[in-house]
Amino acid sequence: FMVIGNGLLNTLVPIRAKLEGFDETGIGLLGSAYFAGMLLGAVFAPALVRRAGHIRSLALSVAIGTIASLAFAVDTSALTWLTARFATGFCFAGLYATVESWLQGKAENAIRGRVLGIYSVIQFSAWAVGAQAVNLADPQSFALFSLIAVAMTASIIPLAVTTSAPPEVPARASLRLKWLFEVSPIGFVCTLLIGAANGPHWSLAPTYGGDVGMTVAQITNFMTMMTIGSAVFQMPVGKLSDMGDRRIVLVLMLAGTLAIEVALALVGETVGICGLYALAFVIGGTMSTQYYIVGAHTNDRTGPQNAVSVSAALLLLYCVGAIIGPVTAAELMKLMGPSGLFWHNAVIHAVMIVFVIWRIFSRARPAETIPATPPTVRATPSG
């Protein structure tokens, strides 16, 4: 329910912003504000879970998200929208850090990829439903923002009656970024770069669609095809990552993304709407799996007892990249036109491919099982 609301919000905000006169830089800043909120939320998430537990932390996220979603309709000034976008980012940082640490804390290494795959299918399927909901009313009306608030509030219902036991409250709530880099350089570096690519991709893809002549309905379908691709790819890619070295699977997803980005940059304006839908489907699948592959690889190395702090740290790194990415991509779009978005991300994914291949030859993949307690000595910076 929360992600249905967020899927609608993420599709509606760029479309409505364009109708309200925001330029590419302004729309890019809205994307950066969202991820700035996520960054701050990631900082506070471990301490909040330790203080209030998983369920109360989720309830707080729901409340903040509902309030912020209604603020967009109350006032369309840039300051209000930037503040509301920041608040929704803070809300979803709490949601993702809490839920993902719950799953990572319960899953064993041998099935971690499939567990995250199921979670991702649910997430992206809900996002697709939310993206399509923009067709239910005029983007300039109050109705769509009200629908977002309804969807988010509805998520309280299953949360209030769940009998599922959450993981134990973590004894330690710090982010430990230096330790994370030493234990898993791929987790640290790749999460940062994935954020720098995914942030502008999801924030500016609707703007790209408008610039190449798509209608509002076609933009919605374009975003929905990305989201459907994201859902379809999760389970097979998650299972594949459980069968061997997750880093090799990551390289394959990065290479597929790079190929589609080059195609969109070179011929995206000439392949027709059906061609764009097909490319959107594939790039959605290859891009969306990268964060979860990296997260699974990182948690393979760090263990379930560190799940909350690791999930929050990865989310923080993702947000740092996603704050910078929409601004730099928007400026490149001003210089190069719509294709600038995909050239921007193609460079990032090419750098990631080189880095991950280097790490594959530098260190063996994690074992299927790891000790239940953290090491008492400082990890060597060779991972």
Side-chain angles (χ1 to χ4, degrees):
F1 280 114
M2 285 289 285
V3 177
I4 285 172
N6 200 31
L8 175 53
L9 189 65
N10 281 355
T11 304
L12 177 60
V13 165
I15 294 172
R16 178 69 178 268
K18 195 80 171 177
L19 295 172
E20 295 292 340
F22 287 71
D23 62 10
E24 281 80 2
T25 300
I27 296 171
L29 286 172
L30 288 172
S32 294
Y34 175 81
F35 289 108
M38 289 194 79
L39 187 149
L40 187 65
V43 171
F44 281 97
L48 182 61
V49 172
R50 187 168 186 268
R51 175 185 175 87
H54 288 75
I55 291 177
R56 288 190 180 93
S57 298
L58 286 170
L60 176 64
S61 299
V62 172
I64 294 172
T66 302
I67 295 167
S69 64
L70 293 173
F72 286 99
V74 173
D75 181 17
T76 58
S77 68
L79 179 60
T80 298
W81 275 43
L82 286 169
T83 304
R85 207 72 182 107
F86 180 91
T88 54
F90 186 93
C91 150
F92 277 92
L95 175 76
Y96 292 138
T98 305
V99 172
E100 289 173 18
S101 67
W102 189 323
L103 296 175
Q104 298 281 18
K106 294 283 189 178
E108 305 238 346
N109 286 8
I111 61 167
R112 192 181 306 279
R114 278 163 283 181
V115 170
L116 292 178
I118 295 169
Y119 160 69
S120 303
V121 168
I122 295 169
Q123 181 182 175
F124 286 108
S125 297
W127 202 327
V129 171
Q132 278 295 321
V134 78
N135 293 312
L136 296 177
D138 184 345
Q140 291 187 290
S141 72
F142 187 87
L144 291 177
F145 290 111
S146 298
L147 183 58
I148 293 166
V150 168
M152 290 187 176
T153 304
S155 66
I156 287 286
I157 298 170
L159 184 64
V161 299
T162 182
T163 58
S164 176
E168 293 183 9
V169 174
R172 186 172 184 174
S174 60
L175 290 173
R176 296 186 291 168
L177 292 174
K178 181 181 178 183
W179 168 81
L180 180 64
F181 179 76
E182 292 173 343
V183 174
S184 179
I186 281 181
F188 190 104
V189 173
C190 287
T191 301
L192 187 67
L193 294 178
I194 288 169
N198 287 16
H201 179 84
W202 291 105
S203 298
L204 294 170
T207 303
Y208 167 86
D211 289 344
V212 299
M214 292 187 199
T215 65
V216 171
Q218 289 172 335
I219 293 172
T220 302
N221 292 335
F222 183 68
M223 299 302 294
T224 300
M225 290 303 294
M226 286 185 189
T227 311
I228 293 173
S230 299
V232 169
F233 275 57
Q234 297 299 327
M235 282 296 292
V237 172
K239 185 174 182 179
L240 184 62
S241 75
D242 285 337
M243 296 169 61
D245 193 333
R246 300 192 203 278
R247 298 170 298 178
I248 295 174
V249 181
L250 177 60
V251 169
L252 293 175
M253 294 301 103
L254 290 168
T257 304
L258 176 61
I260 300 299
E261 284 165 345
V262 172
L264 283 165
L266 292 175
V267 299
E269 298 182 52
T270 62
V271 296
I273 193 64
C274 291
L276 284 170
Y277 290 165
L279 292 172
F281 175 85
V282 178
I283 198 171
T286 57
M287 282 192 74
S288 66
T289 51
Q290 294 165 21
Y291 180 82
Y292 298 105
I293 295 170
V294 171
H297 169 80
T298 305
N299 279 273
D300 287 348
R301 294 206 185 278
T302 57
Q305 71 283 353
N306 296 304
V308 173
S309 60
V310 168
S311 294
L314 292 178
L315 186 60
L316 183 145
L317 291 166
Y318 181 91
C319 292
V320 170
I323 290 166
I324 299 169
V327 177
T328 54
E331 292 302 315
L332 198 60
M333 290 176 75
K334 282 185 175 180
L335 294 174
M336 301 180 65
S339 65
L341 170 62
F342 297 110
W343 286 125
H344 174 275
N345 285 0
V347 171
I348 293 173
H349 289 120
V351 170
M352 288 177 65
I353 289 171
V354 173
F355 178 75
V356 175
I357 290 175
W358 172 57
R359 294 312 309 161
I360 289 172
F361 285 101
S362 299
R363 188 181 182 187
R365 72 184 181 95
E368 288 193 0
T369 58
I370 57 178
T373 56
T376 56
V377 296
R378 183 173 179 269
T380 57
S382 61

